[in-house]
Amino acid sequence: MDKILEGLVSSSHPLPLKRVIVRKVVESAEHWLDQTQCEAMFDLTTRLILEGQDPFQRQVGHQVLEAYARYHRPEFESFFNKTFVLGLLQQGYHSLDRQDVAILDYIHNGLKLIISCPSVLDLFSLLQVEVLRMVCERPEPQLCARLSDLLTDFVQCIPKGKLSITFCQQLVRTIGHFQCLSTQEKELREYVSQVTKVSNLLQNIWKAEPSTLLPSLQEVFASISSTGASFEPSVALASLVQHIPLQMITVLIRSLTMDPNVKDASMTQALCRMIDWLSWPLAQHVDTWVIALLKGLAAVQKFTILIDATLLKIELVFNRLWFPLVRPGALAVLSHMLLSFQHSPEAFHLIVPHVVNLVHSFKSDGLRSSTAFLVQLTELVHCMIYHYSGFPDLYEPILEAIKDFPKPSEEKIKFIFSQSAWTSQSNSLASCLSRLSGKSETGKTGLINLGNTCYMNSVIQALFMATDFRRQVLSLNLNGCNSLMKKLQHLFAFLAHTQREAYAPRIFFEASRPPWFTPRSQQDCSEYLRFLLDRLHEEEKIFNVHSSHKSESLGCSETSLQKVASKAPVLAETPCTSGREKTLIEKMFGGKLRTHICCLNCRSTSQKVEAFTDLSLAFCPSSSLENLSFQDPASSVNTQDGNLMCTSLVGPLEEPGVHDPAAATFSCGSAVRGSMVSSPDAFCCAEDTLVPNESGKILVNKNVPQKPGGETTPSVMDLLNYFLAPEILTDDNQYYCENCASLQNAEKTMQITEEPEYLILTLLRFSYDQKYHVRRKILDNVSLPLVLELPVKRTTSFSSLSESWSINVDFTDTSENLAKKLKPSGTEEACCPKLVPYLLSSVVVHSGISSESGHYYSYARNITGTESSCQICHQSETLALASSQSHLLGRNSPSAVIEQNLENKEMSKEWFLFNDSRVTFTSFQSVQKITSRFPKDTAYVLLYKKHNSTNGFNGNNSTSGLWVNGDPPLQKELMDAITKDNKLYLQEQELNARTRALQAASASCSFRPHGSDDSDPPGSCGPAGGGGGGGFNTVGRLVF
């Protein structure tokens, strides 16, 4: 049969006749043939495939080989063996060279035919070695593309282990050698297609084996940073950029710009070649990486590289604007290069001669995309002409060409330049080179991030801006004491009086960090705040007890406090007498909450008054279920009588079991809406809840999505109403009734009976997903009212039962008679709770989507007890007389009038943004719009100040001396420490000024510093501007 086929394909018979006979040959493959006949047929078809003189012969070879291999698989397996394949790869086939693409295609098809045979494993092992050898020989793009096709279909042929890394590195080098000399469109398209196949292969390997990514990128940089004149790496390397995760930009750029082994010449060469990549069609994110590298170099003050690269490549970047495929990226890079090159007009003047022709060309084509592009380009040109005025002869033709396009305002131009200056780039990429400038124009001091300590910094700044609390801390006489309060006083004093731009709170961090917090890892700021307040509270109680037992000891050492702290559990269990003086934490943050539970079976009731320092507000089912079906693990509120601090709940960021048992007595009181059962399921939105409305109480199933105030964004007041709304305890959440001696359905209501000076509200954004066993974040936007009216019901009807559960009382009457039986004689029934006005003091924002990562920063303002007091008090009294139902639902509240007045008078000048070491002015409008502008940035912890409440806190001003700006004078020990540090700071400034002067003498130009602003999304977390850490070993857990 092989002789017949051979004679047929070489005969001169008509082609249709040949095709008929070939079809007969293919059909005869079903018949039995001996080993020799099969091998002869396989040999002939192989020769036709590889050496066929025309497409017909090669097509016949493929058809017949596939048919005979299918029906005679053992014989083909014997023919297509390891020795045969190795010979093809190393020696070629007769007249064919071993690097001919036909050989790879033949092997590719052969593997498909024997994929189910055991011998294919031997071929895979062979090819793992051979493909590495082939790549090392720098094959041409066509051969490399065919090899990529083979490896994409048969990933078993890709080298494994360490050889996989070597293979990727060699493949990168091979791409760097690609060249296309043709200028024809067809050949260029084919070349781009071939390069794309190779880069896709690398992407697949990086995904399958992430350990190969970093060595591959190092090889890319080695290629483009080479300064040798004999080798110019191919622009095809740009095809790899789109496959590098954008999340790695920060880490890679930091590592690259901070590497002392990278010489300036190599870095300049690498930057120039990356700019050349803008010419590569279809490549994505090249402009993003180029701009990131430009900013990274500016951050480490490598200005010479930036100058050289800009002057060398600015015209090339401008010329790329002519090509639609690469125009957007080229315009982004051109804009950054020109706007950041602010010390000289040289770069702009290089492109000035080309602007008019480009504008006229795009105006004439009439395309909508061209018009949109010209709007951006002309805005850039206007900015540059404004910045470098004084060249009318150069600019007049340009201004005439762009006269029909809008011109940006002077304010916008100044803003754009302040954003783009080299000297204004964030130094988060180079903390060791941060500028030693003085305080910002805000007059506030930032806190240096010590390595993912933004959770502490944001909380400390919020507490510092709580004016009354800060003044009380600074006024304490703690000389000779080494307590945590003393360290907080030290920190507050430095924040108020240091001349540094930012202060490093290392001592306070080590003293205040909860023992279960892992250093240099992101933590929950709410959990930290609870722990801190509870430590300060317990410490003061312990110190008071210690002082009463040892009155002769006026000081308190840290050792003595630790000894007494070991007795804390005993002390905490001791009921508080009514004569005990409140601690500072109780005075400033302590409130009381009365929980009332009524058994729905026997109508008996019980109640308890418990202390709290913050309220944890869960999201209403309507607002949370739309974005996330969650179950939040809340524990029971287990409070000792008379003690401010109730046993801590499992925090929203805290995994169950994370709490250190030894630290349990230091947990801060937090009231959370939920069940009385400690269970991860206890706080699921599955039970029924009674929600008050204008017509009374209605039963609402929490599984049914409903908006608390219609279809608008929920407000903090909505969440507070949901927290205080009556709820039915059913199913697994049933209440144990002592009267019934069994679990029963019950109604639970909560009322605030004593309001704190500062109300801390935590929005429970982090939830536990029972299905996937992960913690998720609720990204719902929440409206933050400037004025919040807290419903407080101060009644004495149950004073005899204060701070303890009442005895069960049997009620058989209706609910209408219930209040009459509970009301003691001579006591008037309270109609509605009093609405106590609170002003928003600070907001701690979490940026991110995970509870294990992200960044914290805070908005805050100064609020004293004397602002608009008469107006607010009068209006708050009016509010208290309004309908309780309308207030509880947060509808049509007259507080909007107060809020509008406060916004008009105060908000534009009083708000600050504290983002670690950076402090800037901001506005309340920015606070309100933060989540709408940056969806991952959400309000998490809120601090509200009770309005016009001095309570004698400043009554001792006259005895303490003159208070500067309302703050008390510092103790001599603190003042001496601050004076010493300020002198040291001035010496550092002088030394750095001398160093900069020496450097400026040898520099080719000078740079003007520019101010900073807060318009960029503030969610960064690095050593200088956010969370710490760095290097490639942190890629697995990036913090932004």
Side-chain angles (χ1 to χ4, degrees), residues 9 11 66 101 337 484 649 707 744 761 983 996 1014:
V9 296
S11 69
E66 182 177 349
V101 294
M337 294 176 74
L484 182 61
L649 303 170
K707 285 281 184 182
Q744 297 291 338
L761 301 176
K983 288 181 179 179
R996 288 194 297 269
D1014 67 337

Side-chain angles (χ1 to χ4, degrees), residues 697-741:
K697 294 182 179 180
I698 59 173
L699 191 66
V700 178
N701 189 315
K702 288 191 175 182
N703 283 325
V704 180
Q706 298 180 22
K707 285 281 184 182
E711 294 301 321
T712 59
T713 301
S715 70
V716 173
M717 199 63 212
D718 291 323
L719 304 189
L720 185 60
N721 290 337
Y722 179 67
F723 175 86
L724 295 173
E727 101 183 85
I728 299 297
L729 306 179
T730 62
D731 301 330
D732 294 338
N733 206 22
Q734 282 187 315
Y735 163 68
Y736 182 81
C737 176
E738 294 184 2
N739 192 52
C740 300

Side-chain angles (χ1 to χ4, degrees), residues 65-233:
L65 177 65
E66 182 177 349
Y68 275 79
R70 185 188 310 118
Y71 288 104
H72 306 279
R73 196 172 299 277
E75 288 77 10
F76 181 72
E77 183 180 5
S78 175
F79 172 80
F80 194 75
N81 56 38
K82 187 175 181 181
T83 303
F84 177 67
V85 173
L86 183 61
L88 290 176
L89 292 173
Q90 294 188 351
Q91 301 172 14
Y93 184 83
H94 298 169
S95 62
L96 283 185
D97 184 76
R98 64 181 183 178
Q99 291 190 347
D100 196 296
V101 294
I103 291 181
L104 267 186
D105 289 342
Y106 176 79
I107 294 175
H108 193 172
N109 292 328
L111 290 175
K112 293 179 180 178
L113 294 174
I114 67 164
I115 186 62
S116 60
C117 300
S119 63
V120 75
L121 299 178
D122 294 332
L123 294 179
F124 288 159
S125 301
L126 170 67
L127 288 171
Q128 288 179 8
V129 177
E130 287 300 305
V131 296
L132 179 57
R133 177 190 59 78
M134 293 176 64
V135 170
C136 291
E137 293 176 352
R138 306 290 174 258
E140 293 297 319
Q142 184 183 20
L143 180 61
C144 203
R146 298 296 179 86
L147 180 63
S148 299
D149 289 337
L150 187 152
L151 296 179
T152 300
D153 289 344
F154 298 98
V155 294
Q156 303 92 329
C157 299
I158 299 175
K160 307 299 180 184
K162 293 182 179 180
L163 290 180
S164 178
I165 295 177
T166 305
F167 177 76
C168 290
Q169 290 175 322
Q170 292 298 328
L171 198 54
V172 168
R173 292 186 186 180
T174 299
I175 297 175
H177 283 79
F178 285 173
Q179 297 295 335
C180 181
L181 302 178
S182 175
T183 58
Q184 301 298 317
E185 182 179 354
K186 181 179 179 181
E187 284 78 5
L188 289 174
R189 288 183 178 274
E190 180 64 24
Y191 174 67
V192 171
S193 175
Q194 293 165 356
V195 174
T196 302
K197 288 182 178 180
V198 181
S199 66
N200 288 340
L201 171 64
L202 266 175
Q203 179 194 22
N204 294 334
I205 298 177
W206 291 344
K207 287 182 177 180
E209 297 188 48
S211 61
T212 61
L213 175 58
L214 189 54
S216 301
L217 299 183
Q218 291 171 339
E219 191 62 42
V220 172
F221 183 76
S223 296
I224 64 176
S225 62
S226 172
T227 56
S230 60
F231 172 66
E232 181 62 30

Side-chain angles (χ1 to χ4, degrees), residues 864-895:
T864 60
T866 58
E867 299 171 356
S868 308
S869 56
C870 297
Q871 178 186 9
I872 298 291
C873 287
H874 173 74
Q875 289 171 331
S876 63
E877 290 174 1
T878 304
L879 296 175
L881 299 176
S883 168
S884 61
Q885 287 83 359
S886 64
H887 285 293
L888 286 174
L889 290 175
R891 297 175 180 173
N892 303 320
S893 173
S895 68

Side-chain angles (χ1 to χ4, degrees), residues 303-304 996-1007:
F303 301 127
T304 302
R996 288 194 297 269
L998 291 174
Q999 293 173 345
S1002 59
S1004 60
C1005 58
S1006 62
F1007 303 93

Side-chain angles (χ1 to χ4, degrees), residues 890-907:
R891 297 175 180 173
N892 303 320
S893 173
S895 68
V897 178
I898 304 176
E899 188 165 335
Q900 185 63 41
N901 291 337
L902 289 174
E903 283 190 46
N904 294 337
K905 293 180 181 180
E906 304 170 0
M907 292 308 99

Side-chain angles (χ1 to χ4, degrees), residues 946-962:
K946 189 167 76 169
H947 183 75
N948 196 33
S949 56
T950 57
N951 290 342
F953 287 143
N954 297 335
N956 59 348
N957 290 359
S958 59
T959 61
S960 300
L962 181 63

Side-chain angles (χ1 to χ4, degrees), residues 709-869:
E711 294 301 321
T712 59
T713 301
S715 70
V716 173
M717 199 63 212
D718 291 323
L719 304 189
L720 185 60
N721 290 337
Y722 179 67
F723 175 86
L724 295 173
E727 101 183 85
I728 299 297
L729 306 179
T730 62
D731 301 330
D732 294 338
N733 206 22
Q734 282 187 315
Y735 163 68
Y736 182 81
C737 176
E738 294 184 2
N739 192 52
C740 300
S742 62
L743 292 174
Q744 297 291 338
N745 292 347
E747 178 187 358
K748 184 177 76 170
T749 57
M750 292 188 293
Q751 292 176 328
I752 298 173
T753 59
E754 182 178 319
E755 73 278 12
E757 283 300 313
Y758 284 95
L759 175 65
I760 301 176
L761 301 176
T762 300
L763 309 186
L764 294 176
R765 290 195 173 273
F766 299 105
S767 60
Y768 185 73
D769 192 318
Q770 290 274 324
K771 182 178 179 181
Y772 296 103
H773 302 289
V774 294
R775 292 197 173 275
R776 302 183 184 274
K777 181 179 178 181
I778 302 172
L779 295 173
D780 292 3
N781 192 9
V782 176
S783 174
L784 307 178
L786 185 59
V787 178
L788 181 142
E789 296 149 353
L790 186 70
V792 180
K793 192 165 186 178
R794 300 190 189 94
T795 59
T796 56
S797 302
F798 305 103
S799 58
S800 61
L801 306 175
S802 176
E803 302 194 10
S804 63
W805 289 105
S806 69
I807 58 173
N808 291 328
V809 183
D810 185 25
F811 293 98
T812 55
D813 294 349
T814 63
S815 300
E816 188 175 343
N817 295 325
L818 177 59
K820 296 180 181 179
K821 292 200 173 187
L822 286 175
K823 184 178 71 174
S825 58
T827 302
E828 294 183 2
E829 181 180 0
C831 299
C832 63
K834 178 182 179 181
L835 297 172
V836 179
Y838 279 80
L839 304 181
L840 183 61
S841 172
S842 59
V843 180
V844 178
V845 176
H846 177 263
S847 174
I849 58 174
S850 166
S851 61
E852 287 79 22
S853 63
H855 178 61
Y856 290 103
Y857 55 94
S858 55
Y859 293 94
R861 64 175 180 137
N862 285 313
I863 296 181
T864 60
T866 58
E867 299 171 356
S868 308
S869 56

